[in-house]
Amino acid sequence: MTALYIVLGIVAFFVVLLSIKVVVTVHYEDDVTLSVGWLFLKFNILPSHDKKPKKEKKKKSKEEKPKEESEIIKEPKKKKQDNMFIRFYRNRGVSGVVQLLKDAANAVGGMFKRIGRAFLFEELFISLTVGAGDSAQTAIKYGETCSAAFPAMGLIVSTMRVKKYSIEINPDFINGKNNARLHTKISVRPIKLINAVIIVAFELLFKVVIKLLKHSKAPKPKVEKQVIKNKIRI
């Protein structure tokens, strides 16, 4: 029983650790800054100031000569054998292959949906300043930017989980300059990502892999039945 309690305690410990959310913060104005935080730890990914010096490429010595064609030994080509996919196609036909692809696509698509719902945009703030050569061009560019940016934000808010968000677009009729600022904070619990991967693994195993292995077996050679005729002597 003690060993069981120890195992359960270790499992519970890892479940608690994986349930603590990881926070990714991205800020863009003049430069991109990216940081990742978990518990009391924080890692600054961008900008990276530690640039390693490039290694000089070694020059090939004149003594080295390319291998002669005679030294290259070509391996004999092996005869192509039917793989499991070809055997599956022969056994199940086009409809079986189509159904197999549908099952695989549904499983992978469900995984991406679960992963997408696992992320939470705690903050999403966008500010754009639009300018052009003159006032007329600025007005046209401002309208084009609004028609693209607001629907994009609406799509993100409707399909993803977003807590706080705002988008601001202003025309610059005086200076005619373009400027963009972005600040977002995204959090995710690692256990949700692991659950999504485990679920899709089981779906692919039972709906795709087992079906593929089951119906991709090579056909057994036919054994001719020998008919033995009993001769009746009169």
Side-chain angles (χ1 to χ4, degrees):
M1 291 297 292
T2 305
L4 179 61
Y5 289 146
I6 293 172
V7 172
L8 292 176
I10 294 172
V11 172
F13 175 73
F14 280 104
V15 169
V16 171
L17 285 182
L18 294 174
S19 298
I20 299 172
K21 59 186 178 182
V22 178
V23 180
V24 180
T25 304
V26 181
H27 184 81
Y28 170 78
E29 191 166 355
D30 296 327
D31 198 3
V32 179
T33 60
L34 172 64
S35 62
V36 179
W38 183 73
L39 286 174
F40 54 87
L41 302 174
K42 187 177 181 180
F43 304 95
N44 294 320
I45 309 299
L46 293 175
S48 178
H49 300 289
D50 300 331
K51 293 183 179 179
K52 297 181 179 179
K54 294 182 180 179
K55 296 181 179 179
E56 294 182 358
K57 294 182 179 179
K58 295 180 179 179
K59 295 182 180 180
K60 293 182 179 180
S61 60
K62 294 181 180 179
E63 297 178 359
E64 293 180 356
K65 296 181 180 179
K67 292 182 179 180
E68 296 180 0
E69 293 182 359
S70 60
E71 294 179 0
I72 301 171
I73 301 172
K74 294 182 179 180
E75 295 182 358
K77 294 182 179 179
K78 296 180 180 179
K79 293 182 179 180
K80 293 182 178 179
Q81 297 181 353
D82 292 345
N83 54 38
M84 64 172 61
F85 297 101
I86 296 175
R87 293 197 297 268
F88 182 86
Y89 169 73
R90 288 175 179 173
N91 294 334
R92 302 297 295 174
V94 177
S95 60
V97 174
V98 171
Q99 186 60 44
L100 188 73
L101 294 175
K102 283 183 179 179
D103 293 338
N106 291 335
V108 175
M111 181 189 70
F112 283 114
K113 286 181 180 178
R114 295 185 191 96
I115 290 176
R117 298 299 296 175
F119 288 90
L120 171 64
F121 284 85
E122 296 186 359
E123 296 175 358
L124 179 58
F125 304 132
I126 299 174
S127 177
L128 301 173
T129 302
V130 181
D134 55 7
S135 299
Q137 293 295 326
T138 299
I140 294 171
K141 193 173 181 180
Y142 171 72
E144 292 175 350
T145 305
C146 290
S147 63
F150 284 109
M153 176 65 81
L155 180 64
I156 293 173
V157 173
S158 61
T159 56
M160 304 290 290
R161 295 193 303 150
V162 184
K163 194 174 181 180
K164 296 179 182 179
Y165 65 95
S166 70
I167 182 169
E168 183 183 36
I169 304 175
N170 297 313
D172 187 357
F173 292 105
I174 299 174
N175 298 319
K177 292 182 179 180
N178 296 313
N179 190 18
R181 286 181 295 173
L182 167 68
H183 176 80
T184 182
K185 185 182 289 185
I186 306 170
S187 64
V188 61
R189 300 183 189 277
I191 195 169
K192 290 186 177 182
L193 300 180
I194 295 172
N195 289 340
V197 174
I198 291 173
I199 290 171
V200 75
F202 276 100
E203 288 181 353
L204 290 175
L205 177 63
F206 289 105
K207 293 183 179 180
V208 178
V209 177
I210 293 178
K211 187 187 294 186
L212 183 64
L213 294 175
K214 181 180 179 182
H215 298 287
S216 63
K217 295 179 180 179
K220 296 180 180 179
K222 294 181 180 179
V223 179
E224 295 181 358
K225 294 182 179 179
Q226 295 180 354
V227 181
I228 301 173
K229 294 182 179 180
N230 295 326
K231 294 180 180 180
I232 304 173
R233 293 180 182 181
I234 301 174

